[in-house]
Amino acid sequence: MRSTVADREETHSDRSLAKSTGTRLEIMAAGVFSGGLAAVSYYVAGLEWLAHGFLVWVVLGVTTTAGHTLRTAVRRATAVLLTGVLVFYLGRQWIYVLEYPGADYAVDPERMAAWLVLAVLAGIACGTVFRHIGREGWSAAIATTTAIGLLLGDLARDLYPSLRTDPVFAVCTSLVVLVILLLAVGSKRQFGRIALLVLPCAVGGMALLVASELLERLAW
């Protein structure tokens, strides 16, 4: 009997370990794919918005954290954003060498380190906030509208001052916003909370985008 119980516990432990390892690999794969996609888009006409905006990173942050505990959400978001930023930064340099034969593959370690630190900070922020998406209450509404606000701010930045934007960018942004709303809205009351907060969060998202651009220009 004791042997049977021990065997069951060992089997359960093995399954848990396999599941945990599989989850880690999925998160790493998502980061690699997203970072690689952004790196390629950096040099493709009409897709630059994937490399310069928040769309990819918001999708990663929401999909890896929603519904999880604080510790798990922060760990998952940090891992996926670190992987994504690292692949994006290194991949962008590699593609540059391919695009311009004879160019040296040179990576600025200080700049890359700064981006990795920002990825960690963003992971902590995403894990702390976005994990509430899908629940009821004001904290969930704030989390939802923060994600949507970043996306709408990104779109508004692209629209200013010409009032024109890439239609693919606009459609992709709209689809992601719709998916987030489908994940987040579980009742009419929750929809009302989200509707009240969308505009101020969109303004906040725009301000954050402008601040990040100014910081990059001042630092580099």
Side-chain angles (χ1 to χ4, degrees):
M1 183 68 179
R2 291 180 180 177
S3 178
T4 302
V5 172
D7 289 342
R8 289 177 180 175
E9 290 178 348
E10 185 176 354
T11 300
H12 178 72
S13 178
D14 291 341
R15 288 176 179 174
S16 298
L17 179 60
K19 183 178 180 180
S20 178
T21 302
T23 300
R24 292 193 189 99
L25 290 175
E26 289 172 3
I27 291 173
M28 298 295 284
V32 170
F33 174 78
S34 301
L37 178 64
V40 172
S41 301
Y42 188 87
Y43 296 99
V44 177
L47 291 179
E48 301 93 338
W49 49 269
L50 271 174
H52 295 289
F54 277 0
L55 183 65
V56 171
W57 314 117
V58 169
V59 170
L60 283 178
V62 171
T63 55
T64 56
T65 64
H68 290 282
T69 63
L70 176 60
R71 182 177 178 180
T72 300
V74 169
R75 185 173 63 246
R76 289 165 66 97
T78 302
V80 76
L81 290 177
L82 267 175
T83 304
V85 168
L86 184 62
V87 171
F88 168 69
Y89 191 82
L90 296 178
R92 190 182 67 176
Q93 296 298 112
W94 179 65
I95 294 171
Y96 178 83
V97 173
L98 294 179
E99 285 282 324
Y100 302 98
D104 294 330
Y105 184 88
V107 176
D108 183 348
E110 292 184 1
R111 187 169 187 176
M112 186 172 68
W115 277 111
L116 292 177
V117 169
L118 289 175
V120 172
L121 295 177
I124 294 172
C126 287
T128 302
V129 177
F130 293 162
R131 70 189 182 91
H132 295 288
I133 293 176
R135 302 172 184 172
E136 285 288 321
W138 284 104
S139 59
I142 291 171
T144 303
T145 51
T146 297
I148 293 174
L150 288 171
L151 296 173
L152 295 181
D154 207 4
L155 184 60
R157 179 187 60 169
D158 196 61
L159 284 168
Y160 180 82
S162 64
L163 297 182
R164 291 194 302 269
T165 187
D166 188 305
V168 178
F169 174 41
V171 170
C172 288
T173 300
S174 301
L175 288 175
V176 172
V177 169
L178 178 60
V179 170
I180 291 174
L181 284 174
L182 290 175
L183 289 173
V185 177
S187 66
K188 293 181 179 179
R189 179 174 294 182
Q190 189 64 11
F191 179 78
R193 295 187 184 105
I194 292 170
L196 285 174
L197 293 173
V198 162
L199 183 58
C201 283
V203 173
M206 184 65 181
L208 183 59
L209 285 165
V210 172
S212 65
E213 287 190 351
L214 290 175
L215 178 62
E216 183 174 2
R217 291 176 183 176
L218 290 174
W220 297 292

